[in-house]
């Protein structure tokens, strides 16, 4: 699949362009405008004071995963139990983080989402092609919160006076892109189960 971490120039938007599978979903969406050429900053959403704890959490998670790989060769039942407990702790951590900083009703909106970017509606024409945005998404039901820097590639006026804003992820951590990919896959599975 093509990578979109570093655009090679102005991106021309065409509705038929399909680099990634897209879904229509309702997610939590927080957006901050960035100055041109600003680097990706973790504190764009005021999470800087927790960064050392998050880094420790990631380190411990990597340690558990490394140990599970060697344990899997010896005891599959115990490995399965530890994976379940690890998943349970991850979910609890996401719930606690979300409860500390809950999104307001207006922060939830219908979007078109893919690993390469997202499109959202804006009540007023706030954004222009070329704008750079810091974006944090909250993906239910898992409450993953991937973050990215995105570039506005198209703005389409809507009948109600607002606009549909199409963005492409310019900078995104691999782990955040994987969270989006898993969310898209789970969304597809849920849709098939409804049919």
């Amino acid at each position: 699949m093509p990578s979109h971490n570093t655009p090679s120039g102005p991106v021309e938007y065409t509705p038929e362009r399909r680099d990634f599978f897209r879904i229509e979903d309702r997610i939590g969406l927080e957006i901050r405008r960035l100055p041109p050429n600003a680097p990706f900053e973790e504190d764009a959403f005021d999470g800087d004071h927790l960064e050392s704890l998050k880094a420790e959490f990631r380190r411990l998670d990597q340690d558990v995963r490394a140990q599970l790989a060697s344990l899997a060769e010896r005891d599959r039942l115990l490995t399965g139990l530890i994976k379940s407990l690890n998943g349970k702790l991850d979910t609890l951590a996401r719930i606690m983080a979300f409860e500390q900083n809950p999104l307001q009703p207006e922060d939830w909106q219908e979007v078109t989402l893919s690993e390469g970017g997202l499109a959202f509606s804006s009540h007023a024409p706030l954004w222009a092609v070329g704008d750079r945005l810091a974006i944090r998404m909250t993906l239910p039901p898992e409450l993953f919160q991937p973050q990215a820097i995105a570039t506005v590639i198209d703005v389409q006026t809507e009948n109600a006076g607002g606009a549909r804003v199409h963005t492409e992820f310019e900078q995104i951590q691999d782990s955040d892109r994987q969270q989006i990919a898993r969310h898209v896959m789970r969304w597809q599975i849920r849709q098939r189960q409804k049919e």
Side-chain angles (χ1 to χ4, degrees):
M1 277 187 195
S3 171
H4 293 287
N5 288 340
T6 53
S8 58
V11 178
E12 183 178 325
Y13 174 75
T14 56
E16 292 76 33
R17 192 173 65 147
R18 296 283 187 260
D19 294 336
F20 301 101
F21 186 79
R22 298 173 184 182
I23 62 170
E24 302 288 330
D25 199 7
R26 184 171 180 79
I27 68 170
L29 188 60
E30 300 167 85
I31 302 170
R32 309 277 189 274
R33 186 186 311 270
L34 292 174
N37 302 319
F40 181 73
E41 295 180 7
E42 292 288 335
D43 64 352
F45 297 97
D46 302 324
D48 193 38
H49 64 287
L50 295 175
E51 197 51 42
S52 62
L53 289 175
K54 289 179 182 178
E56 177 69 8
F57 183 81
R58 286 190 294 268
R59 187 191 64 74
L60 289 170
D61 191 49
Q62 288 174 349
D63 288 350
V64 168
R65 291 178 193 277
Q67 296 295 328
L68 281 175
S70 64
L71 182 61
E73 298 170 5
R74 289 178 278 165
D75 192 336
R76 288 183 178 208
L77 186 59
L78 182 58
T79 301
L81 175 62
I82 293 173
K83 281 183 178 179
S84 294
L85 288 173
N86 196 36
K88 187 176 179 180
L89 284 173
D90 285 346
T91 302
L92 181 60
R94 286 192 297 274
I95 290 170
M96 290 173 65
F98 185 74
E99 285 177 344
Q100 287 179 352
N101 186 22
L103 296 177
Q104 300 305 308
E106 64 271 12
D107 293 326
W108 293 91
Q109 59 178 289
E110 302 291 332
V111 302
T112 303
L113 176 65
S114 78
E115 293 175 60
L118 68 94
F120 60 92
S121 292
S122 176
H123 298 298
L126 301 173
W127 315 109
V129 172
D131 282 351
R132 297 177 73 242
L133 313 174
I135 295 177
R136 179 166 63 186
M137 299 155 272
T138 300
L139 308 177
E142 299 89 1
L143 299 179
F144 290 130
Q145 287 194 311
Q147 296 184 38
I149 290 182
T151 302
V152 176
I153 58 174
D154 189 44
V155 178
Q156 298 174 341
T157 304
E158 293 182 329
N159 293 339
R164 188 73 174 168
V165 181
H166 299 265
T167 70
E168 182 175 52
F169 296 142
E170 174 186 319
Q171 295 176 20
I172 184 169
Q173 301 286 336
D174 285 340
S175 59
D176 286 346
R177 193 182 299 275
Q178 289 169 11
Q179 286 179 351
I180 294 171
R182 284 193 295 269
H183 179 77
V184 168
M185 183 180 68
R186 288 175 181 144
W187 182 91
Q188 289 176 287
I189 291 169
R190 287 192 298 269
Q191 292 304 113
R192 287 191 199 111
Q193 289 171 343
K194 289 179 184 177
E195 293 174 354

